[in-house]
Amino acid sequence: MKIVIINYGAGNIQSIKFAIERLGYQAVLSDSEEEIRSADKVIFPGVGEASSAMSKLRETGLDKVIPTLTQPVLGICLGMQLMCTGSEEGETIGLDIFNVDVVRFRESVKVPQIQWNTINNLSSPLFNQVAEDSFIYMVHSFYAPVVEDTIATTTYGLPYSSALAKNNFYGTQFHPEKSSAVGEQILKNFLEL
């Protein structure tokens, strides 16, 4: 199986690569359209600020490539947020795969959320053998509200989408590569889709 992790300078790719290797697979880091299109599975990571990350995608033309991919694609953290219609962070126009705008947590909670939290209302093969209320690792200041594409929720001040899915596209707000055995199971499920 050919697994490509999109490398567009938005951090955190080595820990995902190591998590894939722990599952017994190899992953390639690439920003090549040809290589990405030929992959069996694509992982779209991201750590950082939305508008600068989108600028990097536009510079490489990947903003046009990613929404047209037909194999399973997993956006992680900022990767998931960039797959949404837009984000309050930097007034960013997103890839518009998921029909939802990403917004900032309000002052009633500590921002960013940096903690272990639980996932609930699991409704996708992405969560096979993952129990309700399993703990996952979160680091973020912005979130996607609960919408039709929501396949898992987390509560932090209010319930929000901790995972989204539409057609061949999946996104997790949390970091499966940093979420211990639960995250490992979610990555394994994605690779077996």
Side-chain angles (χ1 to χ4, degrees):
M1 176 167 31
K2 182 175 178 184
I3 304 162
V4 172
I5 300 170
I6 299 176
N7 183 8
Y8 64 109
N12 203 43
I13 53 179
Q14 287 300 333
S15 57
I16 295 167
K17 188 171 189 284
F18 294 144
I20 299 291
E21 288 170 0
R22 283 195 300 273
L23 291 169
Y25 297 93
Q26 292 299 309
V28 177
L29 308 177
S30 181
D31 64 355
S32 152
E33 176 177 353
E34 188 181 335
E35 195 148 37
I36 293 166
R37 287 200 187 280
S38 69
D40 298 300
K41 301 287 187 310
V42 174
I43 297 176
F44 176 37
V47 169
E49 192 270 333
S51 61
S52 54
M54 268 310 295
S55 293
K56 289 175 183 173
L57 289 177
R58 281 193 294 274
E59 283 165 21
T60 57
L62 291 175
D63 63 319
K64 301 283 189 274
V65 174
I66 294 167
T68 65
L69 295 175
T70 55
Q71 68 274 66
V73 178
L74 176 64
I76 295 175
C77 196
L78 181 59
M80 183 197 96
Q81 292 185 359
L82 295 177
M83 292 163 82
C84 296
T85 303
S87 174
E88 277 185 358
E89 186 175 27
E91 304 292 308
T92 305
I93 296 169
L95 300 174
D96 202 23
I97 293 164
F98 302 123
N99 185 23
V100 58
D101 284 310
V102 173
V103 294
R104 185 177 168 83
F105 283 117
R106 299 305 169 223
E107 290 72 33
S108 57
V109 292
K110 187 173 182 227
V111 178
Q113 176 184 200
I114 305 177
Q115 67 179 60
W116 290 83
N117 204 333
T118 57
I119 46 174
N120 316 97
N121 304 305
L122 310 178
S123 61
S124 166
L126 199 60
F127 300 111
N128 285 348
Q129 297 178 41
V130 175
E132 286 283 328
D133 297 317
S134 289
F135 280 90
I136 41 75
Y137 188 68
M138 294 282 192
V139 184
H140 61 119
S141 302
F142 294 79
Y143 68 91
V146 176
V147 289
E148 192 180 334
D149 296 332
T150 301
I151 56 167
T153 62
T154 292
T155 299
Y156 186 65
L158 77 175
Y160 66 89
S161 298
S162 44
L164 295 165
K166 184 178 187 179
N167 304 322
N168 56 307
F169 293 96
Y170 298 82
T172 63
Q173 180 58 66
F174 56 89
H175 288 274
E177 78 283 5
K178 294 180 179 176
S179 295
S180 195
V182 169
E184 208 163 86
Q185 182 65 49
I186 291 166
L187 284 174
K188 181 173 183 282
N189 290 341
F190 172 70
L191 295 176
E192 291 175 355
L193 287 172

